[in-house]
Amino acid sequence: MLLRGILAGTALLWGVALATPETYATPEAIDHDSADPKTRESGTLRLRPFSLGTPAAASLYTTPPTPSPQDADTETDGPAHQLHSRPVSAKSGDTLAGMLTDAGVPRGEAIAAIDALKPLFDPRRIKIGQDLSIDFERDSPIGEDPGRFVGFVLDVDYAREILVARAATGDFSAEEKEKPLVAAAARAEGEIRSNLSLDGSKAGIPTPVLIALIRAFSWDVDFQRDLQPGDRFELMYDVFYDESGTLVHNGEIQYAAMTLSGIRRAIYRFEDKDGFADYFDEKGRSARKALMRTPIDGARLSSRYGNRKHPILGYNRMHRGVDFAAPIGTPIYAAGDGSIDRIGRNGSFGNYIRIRHNSEYSTAYAHLSRYAKGMRKGKRVKQGQVIGYVGNTGRSTGPHLHYEILRGGRQVNPMTVRMPSGRSLKGEELASFQKGREELDQRFAELALDIMIAGED
Ligand SMILES: [Zn+2]
């Protein structure tokens, strides 16, 4: 109740305050073993640095700062060789060459420097707002002339930058650097009052993280129907800080749980032995459910997806589904969990059912002789549940099921579409998943303790 009080009372305030650096604990300020809760501030978001698990990634994010030309700044070399940088930000219509020459770089040198950059970065890909730091060297600290152009640093994204530097020979060379970042975990939680997007952002969850949260649960939860006021959500995701302690990137959700009408569903991120990361429940079952490619038993594939001569109309047309020939009355299964969003006569499709599985996938079933008992618009169905029976209704040359998988509202080939897996982890992978899951649970619990203590202040 205490937590709910905090959430209800000040969630919005935090959501706003999160944009300011004071609200986020800087990585340096976080003490793993601090026993003094008063050093932490309260909030729905808690942060804690942690290793990313893989040695490669860990080293990536803990690389000590690399001195770059602009770090040398004006005082290092004395008046003989003063380095200084001009920071510029790409505006609409800017080209990299234009940005360099505008800053005082001679055109020929700008082109030579960009040529060195090209193998690592296509200069046409420069985006509005992208930062560039242009480095010069001069003998006198004062003067209109920027001095000798010695290179530039191009900010690629939150994790990478490219250094272009001029050697003593005058040639330019380019090198990509990983920026030194500190990884931390952020915890957020809240209660549903209206919908997850609104209540999630009130709890301080950044929009891309919210979208990822909805996507991860979309096979299990119909966000338009299943959420009730009082349902709860909680999650922990990666955040990355630069050297100055500024939040520069929100990363992957590592753990999330939704408690809907008292039923809790938790998912954990896990990278399998092939390096493919996905979400799994406590038992190591994939949070993604596969759709059945053949939602019928003992049927013969009688027409494939693609161009064909139409058996009745006689001309070539695109067949946007697959046909399974089967006797009238053969049961047809729901290809996956979902809800019926269309049922009834549908022109040449005859008796027709369409199931919405999540925001991305639907499946459709045509030419049915009849529907299974209880089927109606809005009805929830489980994968493998009988929804209807093979027939010959609509424009059909013989009893068959016409089956479509729709992705983003467009038909895709059910036989070849790359389907989300419905797999379960086994053996060593399962053991490794369970170990990782326990660590995530523990980390999340530690962050929770911080909130409780902070709330009692
Ligand atoms: Zn067909």
Side-chain angles (χ1 to χ4, degrees), residues 308 319 323 400 402:
R308 68 165 182 188
H319 187 224
D323 291 346
H400 77 282
H402 170 91

Side-chain angles (χ1 to χ4, degrees), residues 354 360-364 404-412:
R354 192 174 64 201
E360 197 176 6
Y361 287 97
S362 301
T363 50
E404 293 180 354
I405 295 181
L406 299 102
R407 185 177 188 177
R410 297 175 75 102
Q411 291 94 345
V412 292

Side-chain angles (χ1 to χ4, degrees), residues 89-106:
S89 217
K91 296 184 298 295
S92 174
D94 270 352
T95 62
L96 192 53
M99 291 165 76
L100 292 172
T101 51
D102 285 354
V105 177

